Amino acid sequence: MVPNPLSPLRALVLGGALLASLPALAAPVELAGVTLQDRATVGGSPLVLNGAGVRYKAVFQVYTAGLYLTAKATTTEGVLGTAGPKRITITMLRDIDATELGKLFSRGIEDNMDRAAFSKLIPGVLRMSQIFAAHKKLNKGDTFTVDWLPGTGTVLTVRGQIEGEPFKEPEFYDALLRIWLGPKPADWQLKDALLGVGKKQP
């Protein structure tokens, strides 16, 4: 005997239950008027937005930052240990002297490393500072990305233009991440937001 087909009502109920069981679709995140996509592709690999937040200095919004990984991580060690490409994307929320920003990043690297480890990265840190200095000024709305590509190195892209040769050392990208995720982060609320454990910032 051939079973009766599902009634339209029963089919609708079962279909709704199936949809409800699927994970919620990710969506872009909007922070301070900047939209960060929930997905990115780096080196041919799909990445997910691990977390995003706003960098504050006093009461002023300086930039938005988003962290993209191959799989989500909620600790600094988890982020550093995640295999595959990684991306930090930063969009300026105010005009800023690019030389000063480069100096702040250099200081952030130094503050989150021991002296011996930092000394090995000095050539890369100086080159990064020179790249920012050459731009003189970053304007509100300007975006730059810092990508880690296994087998290639750290690629810095400012306003859509790749800047110079990749920084080859894996330690250099980890050092950059510690600017925001290290024991002395640039902004504690931003650290939590990038790790996806903090309250979303406006």
Side-chain angles (χ1 to χ4, degrees), residues 2-179:
V2 178
N4 291 329
L6 290 175
S7 70
L9 178 60
R10 189 178 177 202
L12 183 62
V13 170
L14 288 175
L18 177 62
L19 287 174
S21 69
L22 295 175
L25 294 175
V29 174
E30 184 170 326
L31 293 169
V34 175
T35 300
L36 292 97
Q37 297 301 319
D38 59 292
R39 297 283 190 272
T41 300
V42 176
S45 296
L47 307 184
V48 296
L49 181 63
N50 194 72
V54 176
R55 164 74 165 107
Y56 283 87
K57 189 169 184 180
V59 297
F60 300 105
Q61 295 177 331
V62 184
Y63 56 76
T64 65
L67 172 63
Y68 293 84
L69 304 171
T70 53
K72 291 208 170 190
T74 57
T75 65
T76 300
E77 294 73 21
V79 170
L80 297 179
T82 299
K86 301 180 177 78
R87 166 171 286 179
I88 281 277
T89 181
I90 292 178
T91 300
M92 306 310 299
L93 297 176
R94 60 191 300 112
D95 297 349
I96 190 168
D97 182 289
T99 301
E100 183 61 26
L101 185 64
K103 288 179 180 177
L104 288 173
F105 284 174
S106 299
R107 193 176 308 142
I109 292 174
E110 186 174 11
D111 286 347
N112 286 280
M113 298 184 73
D114 64 64
R115 192 175 298 274
F118 177 73
S119 65
K120 296 177 182 177
L121 299 181
I122 286 176
V125 171
L126 290 175
R127 182 155 73 91
M128 180 190 68
S129 296
Q130 290 167 356
I131 289 171
F132 280 108
H135 284 274
K136 301 187 186 305
K137 184 180 180 182
L138 290 171
N139 300 311
K140 182 178 179 180
D142 283 348
T143 295
F144 64 90
T145 59
V146 189
D147 295 337
W148 168 250
L149 295 169
T152 298
T154 298
V155 178
L156 176 61
T157 304
V158 182
R159 300 186 183 117
Q161 292 289 115
I162 294 176
E163 298 289 342
E165 294 296 316
F167 300 79
K168 300 291 187 182
E169 306 86 354
E171 297 82 6
F172 186 76
Y173 197 80
D174 288 352
L176 281 171
L177 286 179
R178 287 191 181 95
I179 295 173

